[in-house]
Amino acid sequence: MSQGQARVISTELLPNSEAEWKRLVKTTYIGQDGVTWTWEHAERTTRPKGSAFDGVSVIAILEKDTGREILLEKQYRPPLDKICIELPAGLVDKGETGEQAAVRELKEETGYVAQALTTSPIMFNDPGFCNTNFKLVEVSVDMSLPENQNLKPELEENEFIEVFHVKLDDLWDECVRWEAQGYALDARLASFAKGIQVAQKYGL
């Protein structure tokens, strides 16, 4: 995927009054030492009422004759001014379960139709910086379905996503190669890849 014309042309401070997706706050708290402290952090403002989490990331493994492959995405991310390699992911809609959100987001972003298998506990991306959290959902993709032969993603107007897949056994080595090529790596993907590599190393 080429970055094409995508580039940052300006950056400025954003007042909370103009923010649509997140805000910067200062929290005052009492620490374990009994002393009062303050902490600067960000909060996502889009979490649906009644939901305990913001979104999902999706682990979609394709069973192929040549071995298992994982479905990934390349997407330009303005905060990094780079193309990032990621797991399929997205925000949960009001009333959705993690499983429902994962199946919907996978269909919208990649065109693949899937069924949810397992769901992780709620996980936090960067707890020292923000309250954003997500669930990691493993899905099954039946490659024999006609829908999965003729893919029809349903991207939003400002979404430009390249979908691709790589061999699961090679994922960590691919992550190292992608970084050397100048891509950014999403932490969820890189952590998953490193976990596989460590499991292989110790025969787990």
Side-chain angles (χ1 to χ4, degrees), residues 63-64 110-113 141-152:
E63 296 286 350
K64 307 189 76 173
T110 73
Y112 281 99
V113 175
V141 179
D142 185 348
M143 295 298 290
S144 68
L145 292 177
E147 302 95 312
N148 290 333
Q149 304 298 320
N150 183 25
L151 302 175
K152 296 180 180 179

PDB file of all heavy atoms in Angstrom, residues 63-64 110-113 141-152:
ATOM      1  N   GLU A  63      -8.036 -20.708   7.017  1.00  0.00           N
ATOM      2  CA  GLU A  63      -7.509 -22.061   6.811  1.00  0.00           C
ATOM      3  C   GLU A  63      -7.302 -22.272   5.316  1.00  0.00           C
ATOM      4  O   GLU A  63      -8.249 -22.400   4.552  1.00  0.00           O
ATOM      5  CB  GLU A  63      -8.488 -23.098   7.369  1.00  0.00           C
ATOM      6  CG  GLU A  63      -8.692 -23.029   8.873  1.00  0.00           C
ATOM      7  CD  GLU A  63      -7.512 -23.571   9.661  1.00  0.00           C
ATOM      8  OE1 GLU A  63      -6.608 -24.183   9.043  1.00  0.00           O
ATOM      9  OE2 GLU A  63      -7.493 -23.403  10.895  1.00  0.00           O
ATOM     10  N   LYS A  64      -6.028 -22.326   4.903  1.00  0.00           N
ATOM     11  CA  LYS A  64      -5.707 -22.466   3.477  1.00  0.00           C
ATOM     12  C   LYS A  64      -4.895 -23.735   3.262  1.00  0.00           C
ATOM     13  O   LYS A  64      -4.298 -24.287   4.197  1.00  0.00           O
ATOM     14  CB  LYS A  64      -4.939 -21.243   2.985  1.00  0.00           C
ATOM     15  CG  LYS A  64      -5.647 -19.914   3.290  1.00  0.00           C
ATOM     16  CD  LYS A  64      -4.981 -18.752   2.608  1.00  0.00           C
ATOM     17  CE  LYS A  64      -5.322 -18.719   1.134  1.00  0.00           C
ATOM     18  NZ  LYS A  64      -4.801 -17.493   0.484  1.00  0.00           N
ATOM     19  N   THR A 110     -13.325  -5.657   5.547  1.00  0.00           N
ATOM     20  CA  THR A 110     -12.627  -6.617   4.697  1.00  0.00           C
ATOM     21  C   THR A 110     -13.527  -7.328   3.705  1.00  0.00           C
ATOM     22  O   THR A 110     -13.035  -7.895   2.726  1.00  0.00           O
ATOM     23  CB  THR A 110     -11.922  -7.691   5.548  1.00  0.00           C
ATOM     24  OG1 THR A 110     -12.901  -8.595   6.100  1.00  0.00           O
ATOM     25  CG2 THR A 110     -11.117  -7.063   6.678  1.00  0.00           C
ATOM     26  N   GLY A 111     -14.826  -7.367   3.967  1.00  0.00           N
ATOM     27  CA  GLY A 111     -15.749  -8.115   3.120  1.00  0.00           C
ATOM     28  C   GLY A 111     -15.961  -9.544   3.566  1.00  0.00           C
ATOM     29  O   GLY A 111     -16.895 -10.207   3.111  1.00  0.00           O
ATOM     30  N   TYR A 112     -15.126 -10.044   4.476  1.00  0.00           N
ATOM     31  CA  TYR A 112     -15.245 -11.433   4.918  1.00  0.00           C
ATOM     32  C   TYR A 112     -16.423 -11.608   5.880  1.00  0.00           C
ATOM     33  O   TYR A 112     -16.645 -10.789   6.768  1.00  0.00           O
ATOM     34  CB  TYR A 112     -13.963 -11.899   5.609  1.00  0.00           C
ATOM     35  CG  TYR A 112     -12.852 -12.262   4.650  1.00  0.00           C
ATOM     36  CD1 TYR A 112     -11.831 -11.368   4.368  1.00  0.00           C
ATOM     37  CD2 TYR A 112     -12.835 -13.510   4.014  1.00  0.00           C
ATOM     38  CE1 TYR A 112     -10.801 -11.696   3.483  1.00  0.00           C
ATOM     39  CE2 TYR A 112     -11.815 -13.849   3.133  1.00  0.00           C
ATOM     40  CZ  TYR A 112     -10.806 -12.936   2.870  1.00  0.00           C
ATOM     41  OH  TYR A 112      -9.798 -13.258   1.995  1.00  0.00           O
ATOM     42  N   VAL A 113     -17.147 -12.698   5.675  1.00  0.00           N
ATOM     43  CA  VAL A 113     -18.231 -13.102   6.568  1.00  0.00           C
ATOM     44  C   VAL A 113     -17.662 -14.116   7.553  1.00  0.00           C
ATOM     45  O   VAL A 113     -16.973 -15.058   7.157  1.00  0.00           O
ATOM     46  CB  VAL A 113     -19.404 -13.716   5.780  1.00  0.00           C
ATOM     47  CG1 VAL A 113     -20.469 -14.250   6.719  1.00  0.00           C
ATOM     48  CG2 VAL A 113     -19.996 -12.678   4.837  1.00  0.00           C
ATOM     49  N   VAL A 141     -13.582 -18.023   9.738  1.00  0.00           N
ATOM     50  CA  VAL A 141     -13.942 -17.617   8.379  1.00  0.00           C
ATOM     51  C   VAL A 141     -14.048 -18.869   7.508  1.00  0.00           C
ATOM     52  O   VAL A 141     -13.055 -19.568   7.293  1.00  0.00           O
ATOM     53  CB  VAL A 141     -12.904 -16.646   7.782  1.00  0.00           C
ATOM     54  CG1 VAL A 141     -13.292 -16.259   6.354  1.00  0.00           C
ATOM     55  CG2 VAL A 141     -12.768 -15.407   8.654  1.00  0.00           C
ATOM     56  N   ASP A 142     -15.242 -19.163   7.035  1.00  0.00           N
ATOM     57  CA  ASP A 142     -15.474 -20.315   6.162  1.00  0.00           C
ATOM     58  C   ASP A 142     -15.156 -19.906   4.727  1.00  0.00           C
ATOM     59  O   ASP A 142     -15.938 -19.216   4.077  1.00  0.00           O
ATOM     60  CB  ASP A 142     -16.927 -20.777   6.284  1.00  0.00           C
ATOM     61  CG  ASP A 142     -17.206 -22.050   5.489  1.00  0.00           C
ATOM     62  OD1 ASP A 142     -16.350 -22.445   4.674  1.00  0.00           O
ATOM     63  OD2 ASP A 142     -18.284 -22.645   5.689  1.00  0.00           O
ATOM     64  N   MET A 143     -14.000 -20.346   4.240  1.00  0.00           N
ATOM     65  CA  MET A 143     -13.545 -19.919   2.918  1.00  0.00           C
ATOM     66  C   MET A 143     -14.362 -20.532   1.787  1.00  0.00           C
ATOM     67  O   MET A 143     -14.236 -20.128   0.626  1.00  0.00           O
ATOM     68  CB  MET A 143     -12.066 -20.277   2.748  1.00  0.00           C
ATOM     69  CG  MET A 143     -11.154 -19.528   3.702  1.00  0.00           C
ATOM     70  SD  MET A 143     -11.212 -17.732   3.467  1.00  0.00           S
ATOM     71  CE  MET A 143     -10.399 -17.598   1.880  1.00  0.00           C
ATOM     72  N   SER A 144     -15.216 -21.507   2.109  1.00  0.00           N
ATOM     73  CA  SER A 144     -16.033 -22.138   1.063  1.00  0.00           C
ATOM     74  C   SER A 144     -17.305 -21.345   0.760  1.00  0.00           C
ATOM     75  O   SER A 144     -17.973 -21.601  -0.247  1.00  0.00           O
ATOM     76  CB  SER A 144     -16.409 -23.567   1.475  1.00  0.00           C
ATOM     77  OG  SER A 144     -17.313 -23.562   2.574  1.00  0.00           O
ATOM     78  N   LEU A 145     -17.647 -20.373   1.618  1.00  0.00           N
ATOM     79  CA  LEU A 145     -18.854 -19.582   1.390  1.00  0.00           C
ATOM     80  C   LEU A 145     -18.688 -18.699   0.151  1.00  0.00           C
ATOM     81  O   LEU A 145     -17.632 -18.084  -0.043  1.00  0.00           O
ATOM     82  CB  LEU A 145     -19.152 -18.700   2.597  1.00  0.00           C
ATOM     83  CG  LEU A 145     -19.583 -19.382   3.888  1.00  0.00           C
ATOM     84  CD1 LEU A 145     -19.771 -18.339   4.992  1.00  0.00           C
ATOM     85  CD2 LEU A 145     -20.874 -20.153   3.675  1.00  0.00           C
ATOM     86  N   PRO A 146     -19.729 -18.586  -0.672  1.00  0.00           N
ATOM     87  CA  PRO A 146     -19.652 -17.708  -1.848  1.00  0.00           C
ATOM     88  C   PRO A 146     -19.308 -16.269  -1.475  1.00  0.00           C
ATOM     89  O   PRO A 146     -18.575 -15.586  -2.198  1.00  0.00           O
ATOM     90  CB  PRO A 146     -21.064 -17.804  -2.445  1.00  0.00           C
ATOM     91  CG  PRO A 146     -21.601 -19.105  -1.960  1.00  0.00           C
ATOM     92  CD  PRO A 146     -20.999 -19.325  -0.608  1.00  0.00           C
ATOM     93  N   GLU A 147     -19.831 -15.793  -0.313  1.00  0.00           N
ATOM     94  CA  GLU A 147     -19.553 -14.418   0.112  1.00  0.00           C
ATOM     95  C   GLU A 147     -18.064 -14.184   0.349  1.00  0.00           C
ATOM     96  O   GLU A 147     -17.579 -13.052   0.210  1.00  0.00           O
ATOM     97  CB  GLU A 147     -20.324 -14.079   1.397  1.00  0.00           C
ATOM     98  CG  GLU A 147     -21.822 -14.236   1.284  1.00  0.00           C
ATOM     99  CD  GLU A 147     -22.287 -15.599   1.771  1.00  0.00           C
ATOM    100  OE1 GLU A 147     -21.696 -16.614   1.360  1.00  0.00           O
ATOM    101  OE2 GLU A 147     -23.242 -15.625   2.572  1.00  0.00           O
ATOM    102  N   ASN A 148     -17.355 -15.252   0.722  1.00  0.00           N
ATOM    103  CA  ASN A 148     -15.928 -15.113   0.995  1.00  0.00           C
ATOM    104  C   ASN A 148     -15.067 -15.373  -0.231  1.00  0.00           C
ATOM    105  O   ASN A 148     -13.835 -15.364  -0.147  1.00  0.00           O
ATOM    106  CB  ASN A 148     -15.533 -16.041   2.148  1.00  0.00           C
ATOM    107  CG  ASN A 148     -16.098 -15.565   3.471  1.00  0.00           C
ATOM    108  OD1 ASN A 148     -16.339 -14.374   3.657  1.00  0.00           O
ATOM    109  ND2 ASN A 148     -16.313 -16.484   4.396  1.00  0.00           N
ATOM    110  N   GLN A 149     -15.706 -15.589  -1.354  1.00  0.00           N
ATOM    111  CA  GLN A 149     -14.998 -15.706  -2.623  1.00  0.00           C
ATOM    112  C   GLN A 149     -15.094 -14.395  -3.407  1.00  0.00           C
ATOM    113  O   GLN A 149     -14.192 -14.050  -4.170  1.00  0.00           O
ATOM    114  CB  GLN A 149     -15.600 -16.840  -3.468  1.00  0.00           C
ATOM    115  CG  GLN A 149     -15.623 -18.195  -2.785  1.00  0.00           C
ATOM    116  CD  GLN A 149     -14.236 -18.707  -2.448  1.00  0.00           C
ATOM    117  OE1 GLN A 149     -13.310 -18.555  -3.240  1.00  0.00           O
ATOM    118  NE2 GLN A 149     -14.082 -19.304  -1.271  1.00  0.00           N
ATOM    119  N   ASN A 150     -16.192 -13.679  -3.202  1.00  0.00           N
ATOM    120  CA  ASN A 150     -16.429 -12.411  -3.896  1.00  0.00           C
ATOM    121  C   ASN A 150     -16.611 -11.310  -2.850  1.00  0.00           C
ATOM    122  O   ASN A 150     -17.726 -10.942  -2.497  1.00  0.00           O
ATOM    123  CB  ASN A 150     -17.667 -12.525  -4.793  1.00  0.00           C
ATOM    124  CG  ASN A 150     -17.928 -11.281  -5.587  1.00  0.00           C
ATOM    125  OD1 ASN A 150     -17.005 -10.505  -5.864  1.00  0.00           O
ATOM    126  ND2 ASN A 150     -19.187 -11.065  -5.948  1.00  0.00           N
ATOM    127  N   LEU A 151     -15.493 -10.800  -2.356  1.00  0.00           N
ATOM    128  CA  LEU A 151     -15.510  -9.902  -1.206  1.00  0.00           C
ATOM    129  C   LEU A 151     -16.052  -8.520  -1.570  1.00  0.00           C
ATOM    130  O   LEU A 151     -15.687  -7.955  -2.607  1.00  0.00           O
ATOM    131  CB  LEU A 151     -14.097  -9.768  -0.631  1.00  0.00           C
ATOM    132  CG  LEU A 151     -13.450 -11.084  -0.186  1.00  0.00           C
ATOM    133  CD1 LEU A 151     -12.020 -10.831   0.255  1.00  0.00           C
ATOM    134  CD2 LEU A 151     -14.253 -11.729   0.932  1.00  0.00           C
ATOM    135  N   LYS A 152     -16.898  -7.998  -0.678  1.00  0.00           N
ATOM    136  CA  LYS A 152     -17.495  -6.679  -0.896  1.00  0.00           C
ATOM    137  C   LYS A 152     -17.425  -5.860   0.395  1.00  0.00           C
ATOM    138  O   LYS A 152     -18.397  -5.788   1.155  1.00  0.00           O
ATOM    139  CB  LYS A 152     -18.942  -6.824  -1.359  1.00  0.00           C
ATOM    140  CG  LYS A 152     -19.086  -7.517  -2.714  1.00  0.00           C
ATOM    141  CD  LYS A 152     -20.551  -7.635  -3.124  1.00  0.00           C
ATOM    142  CE  LYS A 152     -20.684  -8.318  -4.477  1.00  0.00           C
ATOM    143  NZ  LYS A 152     -22.099  -8.471  -4.894  1.00  0.00           N
TER     144      LYS A 152
END
